[in-house]
Amino acid sequence: MGITVSLEKANSFLQDHKKEYAFYAPKLYPGTGTFSDTDIIRYGEVESFDEIVWDQKSDYSFKEILLPISQTLFYFTEEQVTMPKTDARKPVIFLRSCDIHALKRLDQIYLENKFEDPFYKALRENLIVVLMGCPSSFDTCFCVSMGTNKTEDYDVYVKMVDGAIVYDEKKEDTPEFVEENEYKVNVPDSIPASIKQSKMWDEYNSRCISCGRCNFACPTCTCFTMQDIFYSDNAKVGERRRVWASCEVDDFDTIAGGIKFRKTKGDRMRYRVMHKVSDHKKRFGVHMCVGCGRCDAICPEYISFANCINKLEDAIKEVETHE
Ligand code: SF4
Ligand code: SF4
């Protein structure tokens, strides 16, 4: 049934443990939204339960805690390489069901993909997962279609009820999981490579502005680029960083000689869609997309990834009739 504690007592718990644990949860960042006078909800460190946004979906996901937007991997001089100092505290992250499924996708990509990424592993192995339930579906969610609306992969379930905190470590309480979303998607069982020839991608050539926001909001987009920064006061000293990258942005796939694999925005949209609802499943048995709907909500051109998935069936028929 869960144990109920007052907000005051729950907040004291966070204060008493903040030297050993870093608590991360969705927080409101006033005035930092896309348009003037708009806010944003993203993950940040919290010191009290009052700071947590319980009743709205976060615009950006938790991934920036495990995969920082810009992460220094090492510092170098002519003589030596030094690793950066790391936070000794264990991370505790408040996640909804879809994001716990997204965490599994990150594990597949960063730990089960032939090599283990040591930077991700160092943060991941001490991670404590706190489940936040979803009393109802938020706009643009399609987690039910993607099978990510429920989970048992958490350490403790926490919810706020009438200003008090209820927690359950023994999994006796049934968490609030959504059973239905307004958005529904139908992912075809098999998408042929010839989908490349479909006219469905042409629309994105004119609509998409290659801003990359969809990738940055997505909890399962993990591409990065490497940057060697040379300090201006001594050009032989610097640091290597890995920085988020976006497959929707021009030049993402430009290689030596100026060769590009995906020249148009439609090509890049196709690449993202195939990665999310076809290629990852072939390798790991589950779709990469968890149906959080953040990409739909954040796109400045109102491009809906859910609608795009729903066009695939007709596109498959279109290319098959021309074969
Ligand atoms: S709905 Fe969009 S943002 Fe969410 S996991 Fe799928 S592709 Fe990523
Ligand atoms: S957010 Fe929209 S406009 Fe920006 S790259 Fe993604 S699909 Fe294109």
Side-chain angles (χ1 to χ4, degrees):
M1 290 300 293
I3 299 168
T4 303
V5 292
S6 68
L7 190 57
E8 198 179 26
K9 202 167 170 193
N11 286 342
S12 300
F13 176 86
L14 297 190
Q15 289 296 324
D16 293 346
H17 291 83
K18 68 181 187 185
K19 287 199 175 126
E20 304 148 72
Y21 300 96
F23 299 96
Y24 298 98
K27 281 172 70 169
L28 186 74
Y29 289 81
T32 60
T34 306
F35 306 105
S36 65
D37 298 328
T38 57
D39 307 329
I40 211 134
I41 301 168
R42 59 187 283 199
Y43 273 75
E45 198 166 338
V46 292
E47 294 199 356
S48 81
F49 282 90
D50 318 61
E51 289 178 79
I52 300 174
V53 177
W54 298 91
D55 59 352
Q56 295 175 68
K57 177 162 70 181
S58 67
D59 299 288
Y60 291 91
S61 83
F62 68 96
K63 77 177 174 189
E64 64 181 290
I65 299 158
L66 300 174
L67 299 165
I69 298 169
S70 174
Q71 182 174 27
T72 299
L73 303 185
F74 56 81
Y75 299 93
F76 56 83
T77 66
E78 282 182 287
E79 282 85 35
Q80 64 179 27
V81 165
T82 314
M83 303 307 282
K85 281 194 184 135
T86 52
D87 190 342
R89 298 173 302 163
K90 293 180 181 173
V92 180
I93 312 185
F94 287 66
L95 297 172
R96 299 188 192 278
S97 175
C98 64
D99 281 343
I100 293 176
H101 284 271
L103 178 64
K104 291 272 166 206
R105 309 306 191 261
L106 299 188
D107 290 348
Q108 287 163 342
I109 296 163
Y110 275 82
L111 300 177
E112 298 160 27
N113 208 6
K114 291 191 184 166
F115 304 102
E116 284 185 341
D117 181 272
F119 302 96
Y120 177 84
K121 190 179 176 189
L123 288 163
R124 176 66 176 99
E125 63 191 358
N126 290 318
L127 177 65
I128 294 170
V129 173
V130 180
L131 171 70
M132 302 170 75
C134 296
S136 58
S137 179
F138 299 106
D139 281 352
T140 73
C141 296
F142 55 98
C143 54
V144 177
S145 297
M146 301 311 291
T148 60
N149 54 317
K150 294 182 182 177
T151 181
E152 292 185 354
D153 289 331
Y154 57 90
D155 298 300
V156 57
Y157 170 48
V158 173
K159 62 182 173 182
M160 197 179 231
V161 181
D162 299 330
I165 296 298
V166 181
Y167 70 94
D168 174 27
E169 291 171 303
K170 297 186 175 162
K171 300 194 177 168
E172 291 170 345
D173 202 357
T174 305
E176 291 172 310
F177 292 130
V178 295
E179 299 285 349
E180 197 171 2
N181 307 125
E182 191 181 327
Y183 276 49
K184 293 175 180 57
V185 301
N186 172 33
V187 185
D189 290 338
S190 170
I191 306 174
S194 57
I195 197 87
K196 188 172 188 244
Q197 314 302 333
S198 170
K199 289 187 174 32
M200 75 170 272
W201 310 112
D202 295 349
E203 169 191 354
Y204 304 104
N205 289 333
S206 55
R207 284 186 67 195
C208 175
I209 57 168
S210 296
C211 65
R213 273 192 223 177
C214 47
N215 298 115
F216 294 157
C218 177
T220 63
C221 278
T222 57
C223 289
F224 58 80
T225 185
M226 289 296 208
Q227 296 179 355
D228 283 347
I229 312 289
F230 297 91
Y231 299 151
S232 54
D233 52 351
N234 181 350
K236 292 179 177 172
V237 175
E239 62 190 81
R240 174 164 296 176
R241 294 182 190 164
R242 68 175 172 194
V243 180
W244 285 7
S246 157
C247 62
E248 300 299 291
V249 170
D250 196 14
D251 279 340
F252 170 80
D253 59 351
T254 303
I255 59 167
I259 296 164
K260 280 186 195 186
F261 296 102
R262 294 174 287 279
K263 296 188 179 68
T264 68
K265 294 165 192 167
D267 288 342
R268 298 198 284 270
M269 187 66 165
R270 185 200 72 244
Y271 173 78
R272 179 160 72 102
V273 169
M274 290 297 279
H275 204 188
K276 295 288 177 192
V277 296
S278 179
D279 301 338
H280 188 89
K281 188 170 183 182
K282 283 183 193 159
R283 189 173 180 86
F284 294 109
V286 287
H287 288 307
M288 186 190 277
C289 175
V290 295
C292 72
R294 288 187 179 97
C295 55
D296 281 23
I298 208 136
C299 177
E301 297 298 306
Y302 304 105
I303 291 171
S304 164
F305 189 72
N307 286 347
C308 187
I309 295 176
N310 284 336
K311 288 177 189 168
L312 290 171
E313 205 160 312
D314 283 346
I316 292 169
K317 287 183 195 145
E318 174 205 333
V319 295
E320 284 178 345
T321 54
H322 289 97
E323 279 176 356

